[in-house]
Amino acid sequence: MPRRERNKFVKRGEIIEILIEDYAFGGKGIGRIRNEHGEFVVFVPNTIPGQKVKAQIKKSSKKYAEGKLLDVISRSEDELEIPYQDIPGAPYIYLPIEKQHDYKTASTLELFKRIGKVANIEDLLDEFVSSPNTFHYRNKMEYGFSAIGYDRTKKTDIDAFTLGFKRRGLWWCGENLNNDSGLFDADVENKLKEIRNYCEATGLEPWHAPKKEGFFRYFIVRKSYKTNQLLFNLVTTSYDLPKFNLNTFADYLVELFGNRVAGFLHTINDEIGDRTIATTGSIKLIYGEDKIVEELLDLNFEISIKSFFQTNPKCAEKLYSKVIDYALENKEAVDNSVVLDLFCGTGTIGQILASKANNTKIVGVDIVASAIKDAKENAKRNNIAGLEFYAADVGKFLTEHPQYKNKIRTIILDPARAGIAPKTLKKIINLNAERLVYVSCNPATQARDVEQLTQEGYNIKKVSLVDQFPHTAHIETVMLLEKK
């Protein structure tokens, strides 16, 4: 067996300092190592051109390497000072939002050219939809407790009771959030250190990731933009639980946030895995209500602590409006007909479409049974007729319901990040619908699916990019495809 040639530029596990020179899709900065052997590319996620960064090599091949960002040594000249505490979940918060939009647009369109083989994608771009709120746009945040903290001054980990986020690149290490991150509710985040002090004063231990032991694990907060109310969930292990008074802690939250507190729940999670809510754990309501209400495009949705709901509801309204605009562009293909809403989640798009169309039957399908349960309850609450929801695998559902072939004019697709499985996509194509409205949270897999759709007779009519998550690499796309 021939001996594998050793990489002459970097090796796996090596920590390097590198200047980021370019930007690729998904927030991957491109750096280059130049030496006597030539030039070598290193991709480092969550970086931008002009930054000098410290990264650890995770993968290495003859042509390129991939690194994990450990620290930003010096910032790009495009970056500005901000009044917020930076966190790993917002790597581009120092970058002006217009510049973020430029990077996202260029890299996403390039992706459709390279993977989707759509040479004229620029001509098909309808709109870049920006988030109404650049800051404080999230309606949910999960803060983690840790027995190992990080000292930014000494640049090392320390033994400390922390509540905040994991330090970038250090799975065992947490970092305190001491003030507003600019992403969530400012009042909550500015008071998080008081909650941390309260918990530390009990003498109970925070979670120690390497040892996989401790009492305090997570503090989860959901917010309603409609009512401004907050739903809290404290996640702990069951060990030493009798030593912690949950009712007293609920009173403390009311003392901090007053009538903004809609409810407080307690979750037990004794699993050693890094998951906020365990499959075997229990959730108990301690105070108030276990749900809050949010509004999207004049429809109301009840949200529990475990419900899936769009993280940026104000921008979600813009996203859904674009989907509905594309669907109703040919209203004759929607009115007085059946529309399939595949991978429908909690059925939000289908409900909005049904409320704006005439005599339209929406058939929503999703494999997540709890999402379909929420969809049915929300449709009933909003008093919208003409909706049917099925908890089923989309591919299996289409096999078991052959009556839709050649009978559907419009299909809405909103799959998970992995995109649509090839066999399922083939079944969707075989339905022979006139029009597809394809929503994606991962343009890379959408571009892959688009290549097959165009080979099967669909043309992209238009596409919009929606910036649901400012200060991150994420971008959502809405695409209208029609049969040739």
Side-chain angles (χ1 to χ4, degrees):
M1 188 174 180
R3 187 176 177 182
R4 187 178 177 184
E5 186 180 342
R6 180 175 167 272
N7 191 304
K8 297 175 181 177
F9 296 92
V10 291
K11 60 184 178 181
R12 190 170 178 269
E14 184 180 352
I15 294 176
I16 64 170
E17 293 184 3
I18 192 166
L19 177 68
I20 303 301
E21 301 176 5
D22 210 343
Y23 184 92
F25 175 77
K28 289 186 177 181
I30 302 172
R32 292 177 175 86
I33 297 173
R34 299 174 177 89
N35 60 23
E36 67 274 14
H37 302 293
E39 185 175 285
F40 186 74
V41 169
V42 179
F43 293 100
V44 185
N46 297 321
T47 61
I48 59 171
Q51 290 179 336
K52 186 177 182 181
V53 303
K54 181 187 288 186
Q56 185 175 36
I57 302 300
K58 305 305 289 184
K59 293 180 182 178
S60 180
S61 68
K62 286 183 180 180
K63 294 183 178 180
Y64 66 91
E66 293 187 17
K68 178 174 71 173
L69 176 64
L70 298 180
D71 207 358
V72 177
I73 299 168
S74 60
R75 301 206 164 271
S76 161
E77 62 181 19
D78 291 327
E79 295 182 275
L80 306 173
E81 290 300 313
I82 57 168
Y84 308 113
Q85 180 176 332
D86 64 287
I87 62 173
Y92 308 130
I93 199 164
Y94 292 99
L95 193 64
I97 195 67
E98 297 79 14
K99 197 74 176 176
Q100 294 181 39
H101 293 172
D102 291 344
Y103 281 136
K104 289 182 179 184
T105 301
S107 61
T108 305
L109 296 184
E110 180 59 32
L111 196 74
F112 280 107
K113 285 182 180 178
R114 182 168 53 85
I115 298 177
K117 309 294 191 294
V118 187
N120 65 330
I121 188 67
E122 286 94 350
D123 299 331
L124 304 172
L125 181 61
D126 174 21
E127 186 181 3
F128 188 104
V129 180
S130 57
S131 174
N133 302 329
T134 301
F135 296 99
H136 305 113
Y137 61 83
R138 291 184 62 94
N139 64 358
K140 181 183 180 184
M141 205 63 118
E142 297 179 352
Y143 307 100
F145 290 93
S146 176
I148 305 173
Y150 186 80
D151 188 316
R152 287 197 179 195
T153 304
K154 297 179 180 179
K155 294 188 179 299
T156 185
D157 52 354
I158 55 173
D159 292 333
F161 191 112
T162 65
L163 176 58
F165 302 100
K166 286 184 179 177
R167 176 68 182 173
R168 182 182 287 122
L170 305 177
W171 62 269
W172 66 90
C173 182
E175 188 170 13
N176 280 326
L177 185 70
N178 292 313
N179 53 273
D180 180 14
S181 71
L183 294 192
F184 187 53
D185 186 274
D187 187 34
V188 170
E189 297 201 323
N190 284 325
K191 291 176 179 174
L192 196 68
K193 55 183 174 290
E194 297 176 46
I195 295 169
R196 180 183 78 231
N197 291 337
Y198 178 100
C199 294
E200 185 174 13
T202 66
L204 297 169
E205 295 296 322
W207 185 251
H208 194 294
K211 293 181 179 178
K212 302 190 182 305
E213 63 183 28
F215 177 71
F216 294 107
R217 298 199 67 173
Y218 299 98
F219 187 62
I220 303 167
V221 192
R222 297 200 85 143
K223 171 184 177 178
S224 164
Y225 279 86
K226 177 182 175 70
T227 66
N228 202 34
Q229 286 191 299
L230 303 167
L231 189 63
F232 296 95
N233 182 25
L234 179 68
V235 182
T236 72
T237 60
S238 61
Y239 313 113
D240 291 327
L241 183 56
K243 297 179 182 178
F244 186 76
N245 191 316
L246 291 164
N247 291 308
T248 302
F249 185 63
D251 292 340
Y252 180 68
L253 292 176
V254 173
E255 181 184 321
L256 284 179
F257 301 105
N259 59 10
R260 291 193 70 196
V261 181
F264 166 58
L265 300 102
H266 173 246
T267 296
I268 291 176
N269 181 357
D270 287 333
E271 295 181 2
I272 61 173
D274 188 18
R275 184 185 298 151
T276 52
I277 299 176
T279 53
T280 57
S282 63
I283 299 180
K284 183 181 178 182
L285 180 65
I286 307 300
Y287 171 87
E289 303 292 329
D290 63 352
K291 292 184 175 73
I292 51 177
V293 176
E294 190 56 275
E295 185 179 81
L296 284 179
L297 297 174
D298 301 322
L299 300 181
N300 290 320
F301 299 88
E302 277 193 354
I303 309 166
S304 70
I305 206 69
K306 292 175 71 174
S307 297
F308 169 78
F309 197 75
Q310 288 286 351
T311 308
N312 183 347
K314 295 301 179 185
C315 193
E317 288 190 321
K318 287 195 165 190
L319 173 71
Y320 292 148
S321 293
K322 184 60 69 173
V323 175
I324 302 304
D325 285 349
Y326 283 8
L328 294 178
E329 187 173 282
N330 182 350
K331 208 162 183 294
E332 288 183 1
V334 174
D335 288 345
N336 304 304
S337 65
V338 177
V339 173
L340 289 184
D341 183 9
L342 305 180
F343 315 98
C344 69
T346 55
T348 310
I349 292 172
Q351 290 181 61
I352 297 168
L353 182 59
S355 70
K356 296 183 180 298
N358 296 320
N359 193 33
T360 301
K361 180 181 177 182
I362 309 289
V363 177
V365 186
D366 198 282
I367 198 169
V368 182
S370 60
I372 291 298
K373 183 173 179 286
D374 285 345
K376 291 177 179 178
E377 290 175 356
N378 286 324
K380 189 175 180 181
R381 181 178 304 106
N382 289 309
N383 196 29
I384 300 175
L387 292 161
E388 288 183 10
F389 291 107
Y390 296 90
D393 173 77
V394 168
K396 190 175 180 182
F397 175 86
L398 294 178
T399 298
E400 295 173 350
H401 294 78
Q403 72 269 26
Y404 294 120
K405 186 172 182 179
N406 297 319
K407 298 288 177 62
I408 302 295
R409 300 184 67 184
T410 301
I411 300 176
I412 295 169
L413 305 166
D414 190 4
R417 289 190 61 78
I420 304 172
K423 288 183 179 179
T424 301
L425 185 59
K426 187 65 178 173
K427 290 176 183 178
I428 292 169
I429 291 167
N430 288 340
L431 290 172
N432 202 30
E434 295 175 22
R435 314 162 69 244
L436 306 175
V437 182
Y438 189 157
V439 189
S440 175
C441 60
N442 185 359
T445 53
Q446 186 185 39
R448 176 203 68 200
D449 295 343
V450 159
E451 183 183 17
Q452 185 175 348
L453 287 167
T454 52
Q455 289 172 357
E456 297 286 350
Y458 284 95
N459 273 340
I460 300 173
K461 188 172 182 185
K462 58 177 72 172
V463 60
S464 286
L465 312 186
V466 184
D467 190 24
Q468 285 265 78
F469 300 101
H471 319 306
T472 76
H474 297 294
I475 191 76
E476 300 222 5
T477 52
V478 184
M479 182 177 288
L480 175 61
L481 302 104
E482 293 186 344
K483 274 279 188 183
K484 295 176 183 175

